[in-house]
Structures are given as structure tokens and as C-alpha cells.
Amino acid sequence: MNSQLANYRESDWFGPLLITVAAIVIVSVFNPEFLSPYNLQILLLAIAVNALIALSQMMIIAIGQMNLSVGAIGGLAAISFGGMMEVWLIPWPVAALLALGIGLFAGIANGVLVAWTGISAFVITLASLSIFKGINLGITEAQPFYKIPEIVKLLGNETFLGPLPWLILPTVVVAVGLWYLLSFLPLGRFILAVGGNAHSAELSGISVAKTVVAAHAISGLLAAMAGIMLVGRLQLGQPTIGDDWLILSFAAPVIGGAVLTGGKVSVAGTLLGVTIVVIINQVLVLFNIDPFLVQVVLGGLILWAVGVNRWREVRAQKTEKRLAA
Amino acid sequence: MNNTTKAADRTADAFGPDVQETSSQHPAMRLLLTNEFGLIALILVFAVLFTLLNPGFVSKFSLFAMGRTAAVNIMIGFSMMVVIITGGLNLSVGSIGVCAAMAAGWLMQSLGLPWYLSLVGGLGVGGALGALNGIVIVRSGLHSFIITLASMSIFFGVMIFLTHAGSFREIAPEVVAPGRMKFFGVISPLLLITFVVAGLLSVLFRFTATGRQMLAVGASPQAAELSGIRVQRMTVWCHALSGVLAGVAGLMLVSRTGAAIPSMAGQLGQDWLLPAFLGPVLGGTLLTGGRASVLGTLLGAFLVTMLTTGLLLLQIAAFWVQTYLGLLLLVAVLMDLLRRSYLARKKLV
């Protein structure tokens, strides 16, 4: 019984879970409004979109790389979704599928370039960030698409049960799907193996190139999904969607215990990371604290999280050494 | 042992193509294969092309404006370059640049300090923030990517919080004047400042022990450590230098616009990221560290500025400029890859 508890304590999601619960309790004591159905709905809406952004980055962290273009892909998918409905009068489910396709294609392009050239993902995705954002501005000329169908606006804001918004459904499906992928499916194990050590993965017969492309494809798809959902949420296809995703996309996975050199990520941890970030955002609003401080808090959270992860790593190495000796 | 020779090779690279001579190659051939030569050729080709398409491209005002913009872009490139040579990167260049500019603005407007002290104060803030990055990186042993990602958010957030997102518009005339002045009708004093800094950086990396130690640290930290170089101290110095250079770029923008504005580098200073990497990467600075090309960075950033100006002047691409710059970065790294594999095949390196 005791050892089981110790196991939980060692797991990645235990710390973030403790913080999440503590934060909810403390905030709701100071301000009971925090747990009102309306506020919960707002919280869940924010979590639904931000979780996809974080999971999109998490898949690239899993292979030990980084994707600076998550926001640019999301923005491009968002304005394509809005534009196709407004200009070409395409029905919304078809437009959503096509926009997802754009995200998937953008991700595959990233992955193929990284795998084929061997140039660092940082440079490739910095270039593609600029290309995708440029296409976005070229199409929209910085003007939003306003004519979003009512049904999309409804799905983006309404609830289907109590405080549960429609938008939470795709996020739940994605989160469960990714957890299953990373825990049980060969592709997921390949992704983690490549992130852990690309060389030994290659030697054990895994195609590193294909795995890298697959991870980038999933990342692009999830970023596009987040962009499309934001169009419903904001009720317009805004060209600035995705501009401020970068920090959050790294903060949530590292709070959830992801190791930036790859091979170790946690879907549950990342979701808790997103929840912590969203709660902090809300608290700053509820208690009338300067919203500009959000940036400082987010940056501080990243430093704190990587610091904790690093400390655990060092401690694990020490224990290993002691056991070996 | 192997590491040490590799480090020596890489550092030798920094001293230009004429240092390593092997019998199988023609010196002229080597010159043609350098990044710098390729960039000069590209600059000439595009200059002729743009002039033919629109003679206004070489008008006095256009040349002046281009030089002034290039001055800032080159400085941003230098700011990233001095960190790249250590094998790291600095995402917070934009954030630091804006913080330095805002600090100088505050010293001038709110404290009423003389302009020269305010500028020194601004540069000091830039250097201190850069050094802070460096210290956290070497103390934690974490990669500079994640540390500077976090600090970019923190620096910018604190700056916005302190200034309440307001601008400082009472800038001393001595500071604003160089942004407006023209020598011979075409040369901006800002460009001259950039050339002076470029000269100083060249001297640093070619002739001083500190500069060579910085390059050695980037080429191989272990080998550098074994040869008695204080690797951690050098890394911190590089980050501090990057902060100062980002501060210079920020102050140049203040001089040009006549105000210190929090949004001058975009959200969290992200707008500087692309120019910051374009210059050094086009100029042939290795992202893995150990090699710096001051001239290459200068030419690379100039090429980028020229392309942007040309595309805007032709009025075909106002909103598409960012796409072209992204494609340029992609083409540049691919060309570099091809060049490298060509050199390796012909055993020229």
C-alpha cells in the first residue's frame, strides 16, 4: 500500500495534480464564484483549446525536437476554415475537414524537411512559421473573416450537459487517442524510442525518418484542430489566431514532466499543465491582477518546471550511481 | 584527442578560407565557394534586377532608408550570432532589445538624465539581462532554448507591467538626430555605428584571446575545458554581449522612430526572431557553434533588407513578404547543405 503511494508520488502527473487540486481549493475559498457553472464552462472552454495546442507541441517534444510553427499552422487552418465558409460558401463540416487537411499537410511538410535534410527542426520550423504566417497575411491582408455560420458559433460556445461545452469533446477524444497511441501502439512506442535515442532506434530497425514525419503530421493536425475550434469560440476567423501560442505550447508539456531532449512525455501531465496555466489566467482576472503579469507567470512556470525536472533527473542519476556502487 | 583536433579545425574556419591550404585546390576556387562570395553575388544580382524593374530602387532616399533598416537588422543578427557561436541560441533578443530601449527612454523622460547616461543605462540593462540568461543556463545545465524562451516571456512581461504598456516619447534630440541625419544624402549614421560594431566584433574573434576562447567553447566545450578555458564564464560573457548588442539594436530603433515603444518588436519581441537567425544562417555561422562570420552575417542581413525593400517597392508583395523571407531561410539552409556535401565530396575541406 505504502509502496503504491510512493509510486504515484514518483510519477510525472502527481506534482501537477497536487498543485491543480490545491489551486482549485484555495481559489474557491477566496472566491466561491470560481466554482460557479458559468465559470467552470469558461475554464473548460479555455482548457479544451489550449490542451490541443499543448498536445501538438508535446508530440514534437516526444521525438526530441521543437515545433515553432504550431501557432502559424493553427492560424493558417483557422483563416482557411473561415475563408472557405465565407468566400466559397462551403458547408462547415467540409470546410473543417479541408482545414484539418491543410494542417496535416503543413505538419508533413515540416517533418519531411526535417527528416530529409537533417537540418535542426528549430531552423526548419522557424522558416515554415514565417512561410505559413506569410500565407495567412497574404490571403487575409490582416482582415478577419466575419461570416461564420451560426451552428459553428453555437458549437464553439454552448454546453451540451451542465457546464460541459461541446468543444471539450474533440479534446477528450484526442487526449485518449494520444494516450493509447503512446502507451500501446507501435507508432507511439517508435516515437518515444526515437526521442529517447534516435541512433539506437535506427539500429533496432525503426525507420527514424518515417517516425519523425508521423510525429510532425500529428502535431500539424492538432494545431489545425485548435485553430478551427478557436474560430468557433471567437466567432470570427481572425488572422492573429496562433500568434501567442508559443510560450503556452512549451509551458504545459514541461509542467507535465516532459523532457525536452525527447523520449519522455505524459498526456495526463500535459493536460494538468494546461489546467494550471488556465487557472492562473483566471485567477489574475478574478482578483483584478494586472493581466500583463500572465507573461511573467508563464515564463516563471517554465523555469520552475524545467528546474524540477532537471533536479529529479540529477537525483535519479545519483541514486543509480549509489546502487551501482 | 579527436575532439581537440576537431575544435582546432573549426576555429581555424573562422579565420577565413585562406588559412587552410591543401595542395589539391585552387585558391580562386575556394573563394568562389565561400558564403561571403555567394552573398555578394546574390546582392549584386538582386540589385540589378530591382533597379531594372523600378529605377526608384536606387534613388537617394531609397538607398538611405535601406541602409538605415539594414543597420538595425545587421545588429539584431550580430546579437544572435555571438550566442550561436557557443552552440546555443537566444530567443529573448527581441525582448531584451525592447527592454533596453524602454529603460533608456525611462531614464531620459522620467529621471531626466542626460542622453549619454541614458544610453549607457539602456545598454547596461541589455547586458545585465543577457548575463542573467547566461548565468541561469550554465548554473542549471539546461539548454539555452528553454531558458531564453522563458526569459523572453518574463522580461517582456515585467517591462509591460512596469511601463503599463505606455511609450516614452520625450527622447533627447541628440538621440533622435542620428536617425534622421544623412551623410552625402545617402548614408545613415546608424549604418556607420553598425560598421564600427562589425569591426570591433571582427577584431574580437580574430585577434583577442577572449574571442578565440569563445569560439573554442562553441566548437567543443570538453576540449576547451581541458585546455584550461573557463567554459561557463565564456558562455555568460557571450550572452551578456548578445544582450548589449540587442540593446544597441533597440536604441537604434528609438533613434529612428523618435520614441521608445513597447510594441516595436511585436508580441514578446517575436518579430526579431526571423531577422536574428536569417543574418547569421545566411552568412554561414554554424548553428552547432564554433564558427562565426561577421562579414557573412552583415551581408546576409543586408541581403534580407534589400529583398524586403525591393519586394515592397515593386508593390507585388506587401502582405507576402514574410512568406518570401521564410522561403529564403529554407533555401539558404538547403544551399548550405548542398555546398557542404559538394565540398566534402570534392575533398575540399
Side-chain angles (χ1 to χ4, degrees):
Chain A
M1 192 59 203
N2 252 345
S3 70
Q4 206 170 8
L5 192 69
N7 267 346
Y8 285 141
R9 217 164 43 214
E10 286 299 311
S11 70
D12 294 318
W13 47 263
F14 187 78
L17 180 67
L18 218 62
I19 296 170
T20 312
V21 173
I24 292 174
V25 170
I26 295 170
V27 177
S28 45
V29 166
F30 279 101
N31 192 335
E33 273 298 290
F34 185 71
L35 288 179
S36 70
Y38 178 70
N39 200 49
L40 281 181
Q41 183 190 339
I42 301 286
L43 267 177
L44 287 172
L45 274 171
I47 290 174
V49 175
N50 290 336
L52 286 177
I53 298 169
L55 291 172
S56 163
Q57 189 67 264
M58 189 195 78
M59 290 310 288
I60 303 300
I61 294 177
I63 53 169
Q65 299 180 354
M66 47 196 109
N67 184 359
L68 301 186
S69 66
V70 165
I73 295 177
L76 186 59
I79 63 110
S80 314
F81 179 53
M84 282 190 279
M85 290 188 296
E86 178 172 327
V87 181
W88 293 342
L89 303 171
I90 292 177
W92 75 269
V94 183
L97 276 181
L98 288 174
L100 282 179
I102 290 173
L104 184 68
F105 176 77
I108 291 175
N110 276 341
V112 168
L113 279 170
V114 171
W116 174 59
T117 63
I119 297 169
S120 86
F122 178 85
V123 175
I124 297 289
T125 57
L126 179 70
S128 69
L129 149 74
S130 174
I131 294 172
F132 299 146
K133 181 69 195 176
I135 296 176
N136 174 338
L137 289 175
I139 293 174
T140 58
E141 307 205 326
Q143 296 299 315
F145 290 109
Y146 289 105
K147 287 186 193 142
I148 305 299
E150 286 306 318
I151 174 88
V152 174
K153 294 182 185 174
L154 268 178
L155 286 176
N157 292 282
E158 292 304 310
T159 58
F160 64 94
L161 181 73
L164 294 178
W166 286 104
L167 283 190
I168 206 83
L169 290 178
T171 306
V172 169
V173 172
V174 165
V176 173
L178 282 187
W179 168 76
Y180 188 75
L181 172 77
L182 290 171
S183 314
F184 300 111
L185 294 184
L187 176 63
R189 306 310 297 179
F190 290 173
I191 286 176
L192 292 175
V194 167
N197 186 335
H199 188 62
S200 49
E202 184 87 61
L203 289 180
S204 32
I206 297 171
S207 165
V208 173
K210 275 186 197 159
T211 312
V212 167
V213 174
H216 276 278
I218 296 172
S219 176
L221 191 67
L222 297 184
M225 211 164 160
I228 293 166
M229 279 161 56
L230 261 183
V231 172
R233 171 100 182 82
L234 301 174
Q235 316 197 350
L236 38 101
Q238 222 171 17
T240 54
I241 286 177
D243 283 1
D244 53 358
W245 291 6
L246 185 67
I247 305 282
L248 169 98
S249 78
F250 279 98
V254 298
I255 292 170
V259 175
L260 285 168
T261 47
K264 187 164 172 294
V265 293
S266 155
V267 174
T270 303
L271 291 181
L272 288 166
V274 170
T275 311
I276 292 173
V277 171
V278 168
I279 289 177
I280 288 173
N281 262 325
Q282 277 249 321
V283 167
L284 294 180
V285 175
L286 277 180
F287 293 99
N288 276 326
I289 301 169
D290 198 318
F292 293 129
L293 279 178
V294 174
Q295 299 299 348
V296 183
V297 174
L298 267 182
L301 272 179
I302 292 182
L303 284 185
W304 171 76
V306 290
V308 168
N309 292 351
R310 172 85 187 149
W311 176 71
R312 282 170 42 161
E313 210 177 296
V314 171
R315 203 183 50 168
Q317 276 168 3
K318 271 188 193 153
T319 329
E320 230 167 73
K321 257 188 207 158
R322 212 176 47 221
L323 287 179
Chain B
M1 186 55 217
N2 200 13
N3 264 343
T4 329
T5 36
K6 195 172 134 211
D9 271 4
R10 287 248 198 100
T11 355
D13 259 8
F15 303 96
D18 49 348
V19 173
Q20 298 169 297
E21 287 282 343
T22 37
S23 53
S24 66
Q25 68 207 41
H26 204 264
M29 187 66 190
R30 278 201 68 94
L31 181 70
L32 290 180
L33 281 167
T34 58
N35 250 327
E36 288 80 358
F37 182 82
L39 283 171
I40 291 174
L42 274 178
I43 288 173
L44 288 178
V45 168
F46 277 110
V48 172
L49 191 73
F50 285 135
T51 315
L52 288 178
L53 289 170
N54 186 343
F57 183 72
V58 283
S59 73
K60 274 192 168 178
F61 180 76
S62 164
L63 287 179
F64 164 73
M66 206 155 59
R68 201 171 58 168
T69 315
V72 178
N73 283 343
I74 293 168
M75 199 58 78
I76 296 173
F78 284 156
S79 166
M80 187 63 81
M81 185 190 79
V82 296
V83 174
I84 292 180
I85 59 166
T86 66
L89 34 85
N90 181 4
L91 298 186
S92 61
V93 277
S95 214
I96 294 180
V98 180
C99 286
M102 295 305 285
W106 177 73
L107 289 173
M108 255 180 272
Q109 181 172 328
S110 304
L111 291 194
L113 285 189
W115 63 273
Y116 46 90
L117 285 183
S118 308
L119 293 190
V120 171
L123 294 182
V125 167
L129 294 179
L132 194 62
N133 273 341
I135 290 167
V136 174
I137 288 163
V138 298
R139 280 285 153 84
S140 67
L142 287 160
H143 195 267
S144 50
F145 172 82
I146 194 70
I147 301 294
T148 55
L149 182 78
S151 68
M152 135 187 197
S153 188
I154 295 174
F155 296 160
F156 197 86
V158 170
M159 183 273 294
I160 289 279
F161 175 70
L162 292 177
T163 60
H164 301 287
S167 312
F168 295 108
R169 299 193 175 275
E170 289 165 33
I171 304 296
E174 289 90 343
V175 176
V176 184
R180 312 263 154 90
M181 234 189 318
K182 297 174 192 176
F183 292 137
F184 311 113
V186 285
I187 299 169
S188 164
L190 297 184
L191 195 58
L192 297 182
I193 296 175
T194 301
F195 285 150
V196 170
V197 171
L200 291 176
L201 285 175
S202 300
V203 170
L204 175 72
F205 290 124
R206 267 165 201 257
F207 302 116
T208 69
T210 315
R212 301 187 57 162
Q213 288 183 357
M214 286 172 170
L215 289 169
V217 165
S220 168
Q222 292 88 354
E225 184 88 61
L226 290 176
S227 352
I229 297 171
R230 292 168 193 258
V231 172
Q232 300 204 334
R233 186 180 292 183
M234 280 302 139
T235 310
V236 174
W237 273 118
C238 282
H239 276 274
L241 183 58
S242 170
V244 172
L245 292 173
V248 175
L251 292 175
M252 281 177 159
L253 274 180
V254 172
S255 167
R256 206 176 76 189
T257 47
I261 308 164
S263 61
M264 66 191 194
Q267 167 83 5
L268 303 182
Q270 285 181 45
D271 290 4
W272 282 19
L273 273 186
L274 193 65
F277 279 98
L278 267 172
V281 171
L282 285 173
T285 301
L286 281 181
L287 283 177
T288 42
R291 186 183 190 276
S293 169
V294 175
L295 180 64
T297 303
L298 191 145
L299 291 171
F302 185 77
L303 176 66
V304 171
T305 314
M306 202 180 78
L307 284 176
T308 314
T309 314
L311 289 172
L312 287 175
L313 207 66
L314 295 179
Q315 295 185 328
I316 49 168
F319 284 101
W320 292 93
V321 167
Q322 215 179 348
T323 306
Y324 291 124
L325 291 184
L327 284 172
L328 181 67
L329 179 59
L330 209 55
V331 171
V333 287
L334 290 178
M335 293 281 287
D336 190 48
L337 204 67
L338 286 178
R339 195 173 58 95
R340 231 177 279 258
S341 73
Y342 174 80
L343 289 174
R345 225 182 12 246
K346 295 273 172 181
K347 300 212 174 2
L348 286 173
V349 174

